[in-house]
Amino acid sequence: MTTQLSRRGFLKTAAAAGAVLYVGVQADGVMAASNSADALLNPFVKIDSDGNVIAIVKHFEMGQGPATGLTTLVAEELGVSMDQISYEFAPSDASVYNNLLFGPFQGTGGSTAMANSWMQYRTAGANAREMLIKAAARDWGIDAAELDIQNGQIIGAGNAAPLREFVTAAADFAPSETPRLRDPSEWKIIGKASTRRKDSPIKINGEAKFAMDVQLDNQMVVMIKRTPQRGGTVASFDDSAAREVKGFIMAQTLPTNHGVAVYAETTWAAMQARNALNVEWDLSAAENRSSQDIRDEIMAALDADPVFNVNKADLASVRSTVDGAAKVVEKTFYFPLLAHAPMEPLNCTIEQTEEGDIVLHDGAQMPTGPHMAYQQIFGLPADKIHINTMLAGGSFGRRATPDADYQVEAGLAFVMTDRSRPVKLVWDREDDIRGGYYRPAFGHKVRVGLDEAGTIVGWEHQVAGQSIMKGTSFEGFAVRDGIDHSSVEGIADSPYTIPGQALGLTDTEKATSVLWWRSVGHTHTAYVMEVMMDLAARAAGKDPVEFRLAYLTGAGDAERKAGALKLAAEKAGWGKAAPGRVQGIAVHKSFGSYVAEVVELSGNLDDGIVIEKVTAAVDCGIAVNPDVIKAQIEGGIGYGIGHAMRDQITLDGGAVEQSNFPDYEPLRISDIKEIETHIVASAEAPTGIGEPGTPPSAPALANAIAQLDVVVAELPMAENGVSFA
């Protein structure tokens, strides 16, 4: 990893080493290339005079693998090995490095990194290859069609030379909007299980620089004393005891009045001084509900007619069909608030350069947000704000808020100083758990009618919960006709063909602040859909796999979902569990990918159950990096199961009761004995992988537990009739 720079600094630093070839795009999106440090383009590929190749990665790395995946695409098309290419994070510039699925916004999320960059990075790599080949062909006086680049060497027609010899001359040729992309038969890196992550070695040997590792000369550390109830404000504070802490510098109320910033020489001193601070809070407008209040509101909404008719069905007709069915299966589900709890708590560092520019060092998941916020806070134009994107120790969505919450905190804390010293904002674990941004609470009420043959004839489904998108800057992107799609995704767009389905939605008042959480709405919709499919199959007297397959007919989504389901069942030995063991299965599509999982359990409800094995099958299109895919599926399974087993955020009078890992316990390595992942071979374009492993994990576990005659309809499981050994 190298230190990140602004676009201008990036180009000038590279040019100082000699001739450099930049291949990228101009602000209007047209492909461009140059040797000049002053070129008006933003590169995706950089090749210096020594032949060093660097991929400029526009998606930040929080463990999900884009630093490897996007680098792989460039390496494959250019013709270099993974050992011959490195990567840097792109500067903050939404005009070029925007997420193609988010619009004019630079950000990482929604498992979009590979899906939206697949062609972009291949095209950049292919253009670099073609331009270098044309330069060599001109020099050697031969047809460019006779040449190729392999392992960093331009070869063909009896000639061979390293890339560095043609870096300068290559810029004489204009890049193409449609360069020849390598055929899959030519691939040497894409899809190969032997390709390893680019960021693993530096994380193992300690060279990796995470945002928390930033230590600037003469920096101060700031921690915030925040209101115990969301919406509270500072009435007054007394810092006399804090002044006795060695290293304490000062304490000031934030301009928003939502907390007191405590400045100190070290993190420990800031913690001690903050603990010594005495703050009087004005809680007159603060959240004061309990978790039971929130649950009661959601359940009341489920008992009333829905506000939004999501799929425009005739609700009265569907109810009548279900009421008149030979068998009716019904269940009410509840899902509590959940924290993200990444291993690295939130933090960032801000400084001002001699020229008056503002530089933010951050594990920036969505750099456009703080970039725009800082223009307002500091009254500066966009080109005077720079974001140095660092590695992040996890996120699960927490580092990407619509209001850039922690980055704004840092900016406000910095603006209250004379700006002569950098300021590092640090959250501790308690800040994170009590930080007020959670997976929202949701409830579902489902009634399924079956005929005498066990076929579904009606499905009445009501959803109630707290909208993530409404009232935020993302409302225009995600809300249509009043419906926040993230509340019903996975149901409204399910590949299952279910006759007589009515889907209704009611928004309830938000508890504290809610936010997307790994796999967003699919965290609860997949659970309900897959548990209900199992219950319906049991009522019909049919095998759960065969029952699902009957509603996955036709090509496209249904075919691919069925393929993943069949593969998981086959590899898990579905129906052939060893004596004393039971199995549960679930399958779900999210972020364009299809994942099926089988959970195999041993034990019993009295002595505790043991998760012996999880077998997963995933269809995510072309598997660019199989090793990364397997790691993400394993992580997604662990994240989903771990939270379903025992985690929840509860409120007492509006205050969060949990504070750290002892009462918000992460998954333990001993919780799941074995995970086995199988990747479906595909020629489709790549789709998401960071999140799709999570949605089917908890319902597969629940469906296995149901074989022990306990249907878990309310989470966490440990609070609702299930014990784990």
Side-chain angles (χ1 to χ4, degrees), residues 345-627:
L346 300 174
N347 67 94
C348 60
T349 304
I350 186 169
E351 63 176 324
Q352 181 171 290
T353 68
E354 293 181 359
E355 295 77 20
D357 291 17
I358 297 297
V359 180
L360 175 70
H361 307 270
D362 181 30
Q365 187 169 352
M366 289 189 173
T368 299
H371 202 138
M372 294 172 65
Y374 281 11
Q375 289 176 244
Q376 298 179 32
I377 291 173
F378 296 99
L380 293 172
D383 63 356
K384 300 287 284 183
I385 307 293
H386 313 287
I387 297 180
N388 171 22
T389 298
M390 311 293 293
L391 292 169
S395 171
F396 313 114
R398 182 59 185 91
R399 284 183 163 84
T401 60
D403 54 2
D405 69 307
Y406 72 95
Q407 296 105 329
V408 167
E409 276 188 348
L412 295 176
F414 188 60
V415 112
M416 292 192 297
T417 72
D418 63 8
R419 307 190 199 179
S420 63
R421 299 180 65 179
V423 168
K424 181 175 185 176
L425 171 72
V426 175
W427 287 45
D428 60 19
R429 181 66 58 201
E430 287 76 11
D431 291 331
D432 177 57
I433 299 297
R434 293 173 171 165
Y437 287 82
Y438 305 107
R439 196 286 303 273
F442 264 90
H444 293 242
K445 187 175 184 178
V446 189
R447 299 173 69 237
V448 179
L450 305 171
D451 64 15
E452 293 288 356
T455 301
I456 295 174
V457 294
W459 184 298
E460 182 188 355
H461 197 142
Q462 291 206 56
V463 182
Q466 305 154 348
S467 167
I468 293 172
M469 302 296 184
K470 287 185 177 180
T472 74
S473 57
F474 291 92
E475 183 167 352
F477 172 77
V479 178
R480 294 288 181 273
D481 299 324
I483 299 168
D484 182 345
H485 182 69
S486 73
S487 297
V488 292
E489 60 187 356
I491 310 171
D493 52 3
S494 171
Y496 287 125
T497 301
I498 298 177
Q501 185 180 43
L503 174 59
L505 171 67
T506 299
D507 297 322
T508 59
E509 184 183 350
K510 296 184 182 184
T512 182
S513 291
V514 297
L515 186 65
W516 36 72
W517 188 89
R518 191 173 188 171
S519 76
V520 200
H522 298 283
T523 62
H524 53 92
T525 61
Y527 191 96
V528 175
M529 289 297 295
E530 289 305 293
V531 169
M532 288 305 300
M533 288 298 282
D534 245 46
L535 290 175
R538 182 184 296 185
K542 297 181 180 180
D543 174 78
V545 172
E546 295 304 319
F547 186 79
R548 286 173 169 81
L549 290 174
Y551 299 95
L552 292 172
T553 58
D557 276 357
E559 184 178 27
R560 293 180 70 182
K561 187 174 182 180
L565 177 64
K566 291 176 184 177
L567 182 60
E570 174 196 341
K571 296 298 184 181
W574 177 255
K576 302 174 184 176
R581 295 189 180 189
V582 294
Q583 294 175 318
I585 196 164
V587 60
H588 193 71
K589 177 194 176 186
S590 62
F591 308 97
S593 296
Y594 310 78
V595 181
E597 296 170 9
V598 176
V599 171
E600 188 166 312
L601 304 178
S602 66
N604 56 66
L605 294 173
D606 293 329
D607 301 321
I609 63 172
V610 176
I611 302 174
E612 297 287 349
K613 185 177 183 179
V614 182
T615 304
V618 54
D619 179 350
C620 58
I622 294 169
V624 176
N625 299 122
D627 185 58

Side-chain angles (χ1 to χ4, degrees), residues 83-112:
D83 291 334
Q84 294 171 319
I85 189 170
S86 58
Y87 70 91
E88 295 174 357
F89 291 123
S92 175
D93 185 349
S95 69
V96 174
Y97 294 119
N98 64 306
N99 187 311
L100 301 180
L101 300 181
F102 290 176
F105 200 90
Q106 185 176 354
T108 305
S111 296
T112 60

Side-chain angles (χ1 to χ4, degrees), residues 10 43-46 54-58 87-91 97 121:
F10 164 76
F44 290 100
V45 183
K46 181 180 78 173
I54 300 171
I56 311 303
V57 174
K58 71 175 188 177
Y87 70 91
E88 295 174 357
F89 291 123
Y97 294 119
Y121 277 73

Side-chain angles (χ1 to χ4, degrees), residues 14-256:
V20 179
L21 174 65
Y22 309 103
V23 180
V25 294
Q26 300 175 120
D28 58 5
V30 176
M31 291 297 302
S34 178
N35 288 140
S36 172
D38 296 318
L40 296 177
L41 67 96
N42 288 279
F44 290 100
V45 183
K46 181 180 78 173
I47 307 174
D48 68 22
S49 57
D50 292 326
N52 298 311
V53 182
I54 300 171
I56 311 303
V57 174
K58 71 175 188 177
H59 294 280
F60 104 127
E61 179 66 73
M62 53 184 150
Q64 82 283 26
T68 301
L70 301 188
T71 302
T72 297
L73 303 183
V74 172
E76 188 70 85
E77 291 295 345
L78 178 56
V80 298
S81 70
M82 291 296 280
D83 291 334
Q84 294 171 319
I85 189 170
S86 58
Y87 70 91
E88 295 174 357
F89 291 123
S92 175
D93 185 349
S95 69
V96 174
Y97 294 119
N98 64 306
N99 187 311
L100 301 180
L101 300 181
F102 290 176
F105 200 90
Q106 185 176 354
T108 305
S111 296
T112 60
M114 187 59 68
N116 97 80
S117 302
W118 167 245
M119 291 303 295
Q120 199 172 43
Y121 277 73
R122 290 183 68 196
T123 299
N127 262 315
R129 182 188 75 241
E130 289 192 352
M131 293 164 64
L132 288 161
I133 283 176
K134 287 176 181 177
R138 181 179 63 182
D139 187 65
W140 294 336
I142 59 176
D143 186 350
E146 299 182 61
L147 302 179
D148 193 11
I149 300 179
Q150 296 182 14
N151 293 316
Q153 292 275 317
I154 304 175
I155 60 173
N159 297 281
L163 300 184
R164 65 174 180 271
E165 294 188 11
F166 298 100
V167 166
T168 301
D172 293 342
F173 300 90
S176 168
E177 292 302 307
T178 56
R180 187 191 78 81
L181 301 178
R182 293 190 188 273
D183 186 82
S185 63
E186 302 176 70
W187 290 347
K188 302 181 186 305
I189 309 173
I190 293 175
K192 306 304 179 185
S194 58
T195 301
R196 293 292 179 257
R197 291 184 63 124
K198 294 293 293 182
D199 54 338
S200 289
I202 58 173
K203 290 177 178 177
I204 292 170
N205 66 23
E207 292 179 8
K209 299 299 181 186
F210 292 82
M212 193 68 88
D213 295 325
V214 173
Q215 297 291 329
L216 301 180
D217 292 341
N218 200 33
Q219 75 178 19
M220 293 184 285
V221 174
V222 64
M223 299 189 78
I224 311 296
K225 184 86 167 183
R226 298 176 182 83
T227 171
Q229 294 162 241
R230 191 74 175 177
T233 57
V234 178
S236 64
F237 74 88
D238 178 3
D239 64 355
S240 56
R243 292 175 181 274
E244 301 300 316
V245 175
K246 182 179 180 181
F248 171 80
I249 298 173
M250 63 178 178
Q252 295 194 54
T253 302
L254 289 172
T256 59

